[in-house]
Amino acid sequence: MPVEVTWWGHATATVRDSGITVLTDPLLVRRVAHLRRRRGALPPPQAARADLVLVSHLHADHLHLGSLAMLAPGTRVLVPRGAPRAVPGLRRLASALELVEVGPGDEVAAGPLTVRAVPAAHDGRRLPLGRHTAPALGFVVTGEERTYFAGDTGLFDGMADEVGAVDTALLPVGGWGPFLGEGHLDAGRATEALARLRPRSAVPVHFGTYWPVGMDAVRPHEFHSPGAEFKRLAARPAPEVAVHLLGHGESVRLEADR
């Protein structure tokens, strides 16, 4: 059975493997605080239907309470250890959702899949407020294929060893503003991550979806170009990796890469 990846925008993607639907960092609304969705239609209601949801860290564009509230009651959601303490609104959702707190190295079974939490180099705090922290995470989903969802991360020592061998990597290549701080991958750094990980295929995410209100004319190339730039740059250090540049709502079946 082929593995299918659908990109809904930003860090939100659906991975279907072995009959199980996994949803990453659901962000299913048109606006988040000062960020407005500038490209791509909103994900359809079926995007919120998943057997398992992965939340990489506490920032509101990744742990979005309104989008989590759209999930079906009883949906299992993996969150960084300490997330319910750091985000009071998440505790209010605990009666409707099955929250599972995980840290780096933890594994969770979901039917025939195994999901392993791995480290990420990113600020794990709930900004701008909140003194409690939780680790920023990536996840490796293992079934028919091994799919790495990086969440939001910078490069870090031992990245390849922590992640391990993977078939497909969902890598962030941009952000939601004109400047990326530490703990992020741009197209160039994502290419370096690709060279370290050496998957068979890659899907760029976390770009070209949300942008601050009133800043459309500020460094617009940082919004429009990261996905194509990543695909162009990856051809030199990792020519054997098939880079699938998806539009919003588009899917790729990875059977041909196996």
Side-chain angles (χ1 to χ4, degrees), residues 148-225:
Y148 170 47
F149 168 62
D152 213 352
T153 187
L155 294 167
F156 58 92
D157 292 340
M159 187 180 200
D161 291 335
E162 293 284 1
V163 173
V166 292
D167 299 295
T168 299
L170 278 60
L171 293 176
V173 300
W176 51 253
F179 301 99
L180 284 175
E182 292 186 9
H184 294 86
L185 298 178
D186 60 10
R189 292 190 290 271
T191 299
E192 172 61 27
L194 196 69
R196 296 184 188 187
L197 298 170
R198 296 288 176 180
R200 286 202 295 267
S201 61
V203 177
V205 300
H206 204 272
F207 75 98
T209 309
Y210 291 90
W211 204 249
V213 172
M215 297 187 69
D216 290 10
V218 179
R219 294 173 61 87
H221 61 283
E222 299 291 353
F223 178 85
H224 293 286
S225 66

Side-chain angles (χ1 to χ4, degrees), residues 38-197:
R38 284 192 56 208
R39 180 186 286 169
L42 282 178
Q46 59 263 33
R49 300 171 192 159
D51 301 298
L52 184 68
V53 175
L54 310 179
V55 173
S56 65
H57 63 286
L58 304 190
H59 293 171
D61 58 321
H62 293 258
L63 193 166
H64 185 255
L65 295 172
S67 296
L68 292 176
M70 298 179 190
L71 302 174
T75 300
R76 187 155 48 147
V77 182
L78 304 193
V79 299
R81 184 171 292 117
R85 182 176 68 156
V87 185
L90 189 58
R91 296 198 295 270
R92 291 192 288 271
L93 290 174
S95 61
L97 303 174
E98 182 186 347
L99 300 182
V100 181
E101 298 182 54
V102 295
D106 290 344
E107 292 189 351
V108 174
L113 301 185
T114 299
V115 179
R116 176 170 53 92
V118 299
H122 194 67
D123 187 340
R125 294 173 296 168
R126 182 71 164 185
L127 300 175
L129 303 174
R131 57 189 178 88
H132 299 302
T133 63
L137 302 172
F139 296 93
V140 177
V141 179
T142 300
E144 291 287 325
E145 298 270 358
R146 292 158 298 187
T147 303
Y148 170 47
F149 168 62
D152 213 352
T153 187
L155 294 167
F156 58 92
D157 292 340
M159 187 180 200
D161 291 335
E162 293 284 1
V163 173
V166 292
D167 299 295
T168 299
L170 278 60
L171 293 176
V173 300
W176 51 253
F179 301 99
L180 284 175
E182 292 186 9
H184 294 86
L185 298 178
D186 60 10
R189 292 190 290 271
T191 299
E192 172 61 27
L194 196 69
R196 296 184 188 187
L197 298 170

